Amino acid sequence: MSEINTTKEMKATLSTPTKPKLSLGKRLGFTILYLILGVVAIFQIYPLVWLFMFSLKSNQEVFGLSPFALPQDPQWANYAKAWTQGNISLYFFNSVWITVVAVVLTVILASFVTFAITRMYWKLNKLVLGLFMVGLMIPIHSTLIPLFDFYNKLNLIDNPISIILSYTAFNLPLTIMILLGFYQTLPREIEEAAVMDGCSIHRIFFQITLPMTAPVISTTVIINMIYNWNEFVFVNTFISSDKWKTLTVGIQNFIGQYLTDWGAIGATLMISIVPILVAFLLLSNRIVEGIAAGSVKG
Amino acid sequence: MKNVMSNKTVIALYVLPALLLILVLVYVPIVLTGYYGLMDWDGIGKMKFIGLENYIDLLKDKMFWSSTYHSFQLAIFSTISLLLYLVISLVLASKIKGSDLLRKIYLIPMLLSSVAIAQLWLKIFDPNNGMINSLLEMMGVENAPVWLADPNVVLYAIFIPIIWQYAGFYIIIYYAALKNVPEELVEAARIDGANPVQIAYKIKLPLIAGVFKVTIVLAIVGSLKYFDLIWVMTGGGPNGASEVMASYMYSEAFKSYNFGYGSAIGFALLVICLIMTWFIRKLTAANDNNNQF
């Protein structure tokens, strides 16, 4: 995290004196490198630009003109159509609140567990941690039928509780893994002093530890947010009525009905993508860090 | 100190909610899926115990083997593409201006849902109005492939959006690992006259070997579980040409209502994933000198 920055600064100071003037060959080399990186960047970004363009086209343009042509007369009506006719506003709302509830639940529960594992003394803590970590390797599809049956028996099929609980259970392992790395580097002295002062464990957790872990909590919140916002299988399996569908399944349905209306499809996809893109623009450093932390520490 | 911090009630209070969730919603189901695999069951009616019949059928089921084969093909493609991501990261991590911005651009597709990615690429692959075939047409290619409708091409075609989706993820991981390589080592090698390729090969790569192994596990196990994108793009078609283990399990259970047989496939998927994880770790642990793993 901050280490990356310091090494970068160090690198800058180290490298400037050793690089007086670039030879022609070196400059050519750098040009080729930039060219390669640029091509990769275009490959990554252009499909989204193209999506935005066809989301503003009418069907005549899509089927009659080159797919690379700019929209002649931007059809913002496509967005209005997707938002109103496709129930997209409802799906959007469901995605938001289900994501928020699941993220809060996951991060709180994971913080409790990580606190107990790293700060408290008990015998089975290694075993419990192991259970959570092995959970990372278990494929969702191997749990799907029993989960469906379980929720069915509890009358929770077609009830958002089923997806919120599933999101929480399946995201706990990764969340705990990210939290763990941070908790282990966090000094214990403050907590120990609080114990000496007769502070209760709950107060220590909520008023000392939790605020101190704010940076890593924001990382886990973002990672969870992205996963839940984009989740498909659980909603597709456990939810059947439009009332509770989220955006991923909702857009899938909408597109099934409007197969040939490229403009409306493009607009729907854009609507589902934009919140994540905005979050990314605002928080890209945290997201990048979260992803790096999430896997490198494995 | 120890007394306060080993209060059993508090520990239970903090650990049990999460533990119960993961036990009930993850661990109990994987055991049950193996058990339901012994049943003839349509998901609604009564279960009928039929012993190992589903598992024996599974071993003889051509579709299961071809879907497993496709999953492993994806796993191999993914592992090979890691090398590509590694090369890009090496370039990115070496005195490149704007590497921060580039990394972020590379990551964007990873943030999108597989459903949105699948729908977008359905349009990109569209034989008549899609981006790729229009581009091929402009370049004068006749008889451009029909991509997702061609059983011989479909799996390779699907792999392109998979690369698109995951490239940024792996590049970020490798980049972070490369930035942790002590600069003094690289600088020392440079002073000794090592060229950038030698530095990468002899110094940087050995130092990030641990991270590389983690990503191999992620890529292989992730590919074996792969579902959303394929389900939306082809549903496993045409004619099962892009059927993978998870999509086969899903169609058997939730389209054909063979919950017993679907459970058997789900259990096979679990066993294969766990064996592969164990196997890769074993394989890569041979000359492992850091305990990153």
Side-chain angles (χ1 to χ4, degrees), chain B residues 147-208:
Chain B
W147 304 110
L148 302 175
D150 183 342
N152 297 316
V153 176
V154 61
L155 207 61
Y156 303 100
I158 281 182
F159 194 63
I160 298 175
I162 295 181
I163 290 188
W164 190 70
Q165 182 175 18
Y166 285 102
F169 173 73
Y170 290 108
I171 290 174
I172 297 272
I173 295 174
Y174 292 149
Y175 184 90
L178 287 168
K179 282 294 172 193
N180 278 337
V181 170
E183 188 64 26
E184 305 87 76
L185 286 179
V186 177
E187 209 54 45
R190 194 171 293 141
I191 289 163
D192 288 348
N195 64 40
V197 177
Q198 287 171 325
I199 292 175
Y201 193 72
K202 291 264 160 79
I203 295 176
K204 289 181 178 169
L205 291 187
L207 282 171
I208 67 161

Side-chain angles (χ1 to χ4, degrees), chain A residues 9-264:
Chain A
E9 278 159 30
M10 217 164 70
K11 190 178 138 185
T13 50
L14 274 173
S15 58
T16 28
T18 58
K19 197 173 59 178
K21 244 183 199 166
L22 289 178
S23 67
L24 189 70
K26 263 196 173 161
R27 235 182 288 166
L28 194 70
F30 267 104
T31 315
I32 293 170
L33 291 186
Y34 273 110
L35 219 58
I36 295 169
L37 294 176
V39 168
V40 177
I42 291 170
F43 175 69
Q44 292 300 89
I45 207 76
Y46 187 71
L48 291 170
V49 176
W50 188 69
L51 166 67
F52 180 60
M53 288 203 309
F54 85 71
S55 77
L56 290 173
K57 286 181 181 179
S58 65
N59 261 2
Q60 287 97 310
E61 281 177 84
V62 169
F63 297 121
L65 300 174
S66 158
F68 300 104
L70 293 171
Q72 293 171 322
D73 173 25
Q75 304 283 317
W76 294 103
N78 287 338
Y79 284 80
K81 186 177 178 185
W83 188 255
T84 52
Q85 286 182 25
N87 261 342
I88 298 297
S89 50
L90 174 69
Y91 302 146
F92 194 94
F93 173 72
N94 285 341
S95 273
V96 171
W97 78 260
I98 289 173
T99 297
V100 169
V101 173
V103 168
V104 171
L105 202 61
T106 311
V107 173
I108 291 275
L109 291 182
S111 294
F112 274 136
V113 171
T114 315
F115 180 82
I117 286 176
T118 58
R119 293 295 187 269
M120 303 186 71
Y121 303 91
W122 43 300
K123 274 191 195 138
L124 295 173
N125 66 354
K126 283 267 155 59
L127 177 77
V128 169
L129 180 62
L131 272 177
F132 281 108
M133 292 302 107
V134 173
L136 280 170
M137 288 299 155
I138 290 171
I140 285 180
H141 281 79
S142 304
T143 64
L144 218 47
I145 292 173
L147 278 181
F148 182 82
D149 189 46
F150 174 71
Y151 291 132
N152 204 12
K153 281 179 180 144
L154 294 176
N155 249 330
L156 288 176
I157 287 293
D158 208 18
N159 182 325
I161 293 177
S162 63
I163 38 181
I164 291 172
L165 289 180
S166 309
Y167 288 0
T168 308
F170 278 86
N171 285 338
L172 276 171
L174 181 68
T175 310
I176 291 175
M177 190 170 103
I178 298 175
L179 290 178
L180 205 66
F182 191 86
Y183 271 76
Q184 280 164 349
T185 59
L186 208 64
R188 290 152 175 264
E189 283 78 24
I190 303 173
E191 287 150 347
E192 279 165 11
V195 172
M196 298 303 173
D197 290 348
C199 195
S200 80
I201 300 185
H202 302 302
R203 276 194 63 190
I204 294 176
F205 176 72
F206 283 105
Q207 297 191 340
I208 298 173
T209 311
L210 219 47
M212 281 199 302
T213 58
V216 72
I217 284 181
S218 67
T219 304
T220 56
V221 164
I222 292 162
I223 296 286
N224 270 287
M225 206 183 79
I226 295 170
Y227 283 4
N228 293 346
W229 184 267
N230 291 334
E231 205 281 333
F232 172 70
V233 182
F234 286 137
V235 186
N236 199 42
T237 314
F238 302 148
I239 300 295
S240 52
S241 59
D242 279 340
K243 200 169 63 171
W244 300 121
K245 275 178 187 156
T246 60
L247 262 179
T248 47
V249 174
I251 57 175
Q252 179 66 5
N253 283 11
F254 175 77
I255 289 170
Q257 288 164 22
Y258 292 82
L259 269 182
T260 52
D261 192 343
W262 282 47

